[in-house]
Amino acid sequence: MSSRFKHSLLDLKTSDKSSIDQLFSVADTIAKDQNVAIPFTGQTVALLFFEASTRTRMSFETVCARLGVYPLCLDGKSGTSLEKGESLVDTVLNVAAMNPAALVIRCGDNLDLKELANKVQIPLLNAGWGQQGHPTQALLDAYTIRQNLGTCSKQKILIVGDIVHSRVAASHLELAKILDYEVAFCGPDSFIPAQFQGRVFGTLSEGLKWCTVAMALRVQTERHQAASALGDYSVQFGFTKKSLSDLSSQALILHPGPINHGIEMDEEVLNDGRCRVLQQVSNGVFIRQALIRRALMEEHA
Ligand code: CP
C-alpha cells in the first residue's frame, strides 16, 4: 500500500490476517450495539463518488451519521466544477485541502488512487476503483461468510459471471490469500480473465456442486458492446431455483449488487434460505464503520 497512512485502504495486497481479524472483531461490536459509537463530532469525511453507487455510498453516509462525522458528498459531475473542465485529480486535491479526516473515493481507472494517496495528507479509502479492486466489498463478503459459516478458512468460493470486468473478483483474489479460502471462476470464456491460473468450471452445475459459497456478479451490460454478447447467459449461468438445486443446503448465496434480475439471478432467489444478499448490505455498514473509525483514530492518534 503506497499511502503513508497505515489505515488507508487502497487494496488488500499488503493487509495481514491479524489486522483483518481485528477489523472483524470491531465490526462484531458495532453490529451488536449499533447505538454505541465513538463520536468524532466536528470532523468531516469526504465521500467522492465519481461513479454511480447506492450501497457503498449510502453505507458510508450511514457510518458518518453514526460517528457524528459530517459527510462532504460529491455524486458525479453534476453541480461541481468537473462540469467546467476541472480534472479529477484537482478536484480531489482541492477537497483534501479542506482537511477532511479521511477521503473515500469511488472512481474509474482514469484516476490513480495510489499516486493520489501519496499527494494527500489524510487516509484514503478505495470505495470501488475501476477494474482494480473493491476492497471494502470483499471484506464485507468475507465477514458475511465468517458470520454464517464460522470461518473463511478452507471455504470454496465460486464466483460466477463477468469476472473480467469485476473489481470485486480482483479483491477476492487478494483476500483469499490472507484468509485462506479458495476462489474458482465460472462463466463464458470471454468473461474469464486470460491470465487467471486457478480453477475454472465450464458448467454452473459442476461449480455449484463444488463450492461452499456461490457468488453471482452483475453482468456489466454497459461494457458489452452487443446484446448478443450475452447470448443465452441466463440459461447457462443464471442463479435460478432450478440451477441452485445443485448447491449444498449448507452453502451461501451472495451477490454484491446491483442485481440484474432474470440475467445473473432470478428475483425468487432472494427468498432462498441460503441467500445472504441483504445481510451483505447490512454488514457493509459495520465493516465500513470499523474502517472509518480506524482511519479517524489513526488520524487523531
Ligand atoms: N456492491 C456495490 O459496490 O454496490 P454499489 O455500486 O451500489 O455501491
Side-chain angles (χ1 to χ4, degrees):
M1 206 170 296
S2 52
S3 168
R4 71 182 178 82
F5 285 94
K6 200 167 116 213
H7 293 140
S8 283
L9 183 69
L10 304 179
D11 57 44
L12 294 164
K13 286 188 190 102
T14 56
S15 294
D16 59 68
K17 186 161 182 321
S18 72
S19 74
I20 292 172
D21 285 345
Q22 206 176 12
L23 184 83
F24 285 0
S25 162
V26 173
D28 285 341
T29 310
I30 293 166
K32 265 191 209 115
D33 190 348
Q34 296 177 41
N35 295 318
V36 173
I38 298 174
F40 294 91
T41 313
Q43 301 296 318
T44 59
V45 166
L47 308 180
L48 306 181
F49 280 71
F50 298 114
E51 288 194 339
S53 166
T54 298
R55 281 147 288 274
T56 312
R57 181 172 62 79
M58 296 189 81
S59 61
F60 274 113
E61 286 182 16
T62 303
V63 167
C64 287
R66 289 186 178 167
L67 292 177
V69 174
Y70 190 83
L72 302 174
C73 299
L74 183 153
D75 297 322
K77 267 183 154 183
S78 180
T80 75
S81 289
L82 287 163
E83 287 189 316
K84 295 185 260 181
E86 186 165 30
S87 72
L88 295 174
V89 172
D90 281 354
T91 302
V92 176
L93 294 181
N94 278 266
V95 173
M98 295 171 206
N99 204 26
L103 290 169
V104 174
I105 302 182
R106 153 99 29 129
C107 61
D109 290 308
N110 54 346
L111 196 59
D112 187 336
L113 287 189
K114 292 194 177 174
E115 212 173 282
L116 261 178
N118 282 328
K119 289 184 179 168
V120 297
Q121 303 301 312
I122 36 182
L124 194 161
L125 277 72
N126 169 359
W129 173 17
Q131 290 174 31
Q132 308 287 318
H134 194 353
T136 67
Q137 180 68 46
L139 286 168
L140 75 88
D141 294 343
Y143 182 73
T144 305
I145 293 165
R146 167 186 170 272
Q147 192 176 53
N148 286 278
L149 302 180
T151 177
C152 290
S153 178
K154 308 296 177 213
Q155 299 299 343
K156 296 173 180 171
I157 303 189
L158 180 73
I159 303 184
V160 182
D162 202 352
I163 293 140
V164 77
H165 293 119
S166 175
R167 52 191 171 212
V168 177
S171 287
H172 271 293
L173 290 177
E174 294 172 2
L175 191 55
K177 290 184 191 143
I178 302 165
L179 298 185
D180 185 35
Y181 57 87
E182 191 177 345
V183 173
F185 291 156
C186 179
D189 288 348
S190 61
F191 283 13
I192 308 292
Q195 71 278 15
F196 180 61
Q197 302 286 318
R199 196 189 289 253
V200 176
F201 288 97
T203 69
L204 182 59
S205 172
E206 287 174 296
L208 290 175
K209 283 175 186 155
W210 167 83
C211 71
T212 57
V213 178
M215 181 187 297
L217 295 178
R218 183 174 76 88
V219 175
Q220 300 189 27
T221 45
E222 69 277 19
R223 300 190 206 269
H224 296 280
Q225 302 298 327
S228 60
L230 294 181
D232 60 354
Y233 181 88
S234 60
V235 176
Q236 284 199 62
F237 300 104
F239 284 20
T240 63
K241 195 171 175 182
K242 185 164 179 284
S243 68
L244 289 168
S245 63
D246 284 321
L247 183 68
S248 156
S249 59
Q250 307 301 313
L252 302 181
I253 300 165
L254 303 181
H255 191 309
I259 301 172
N260 294 306
H261 288 300
I263 300 182
E264 73 267 6
M265 186 185 273
D266 277 359
E267 200 162 351
E268 66 180 354
V269 174
L270 289 177
N271 298 321
D272 187 303
R274 299 164 293 183
C275 184
R276 295 292 181 275
V277 168
L278 293 179
Q279 195 178 82
Q280 287 173 271
V281 179
S282 302
N283 285 339
V285 175
F286 309 140
I287 287 293
R288 290 172 179 132
Q289 185 163 329
L291 286 165
I292 289 285
R293 198 184 93 138
R294 199 170 75 168
L296 266 57
M297 286 172 87
E298 178 186 35
E299 171 73 351
H300 296 285

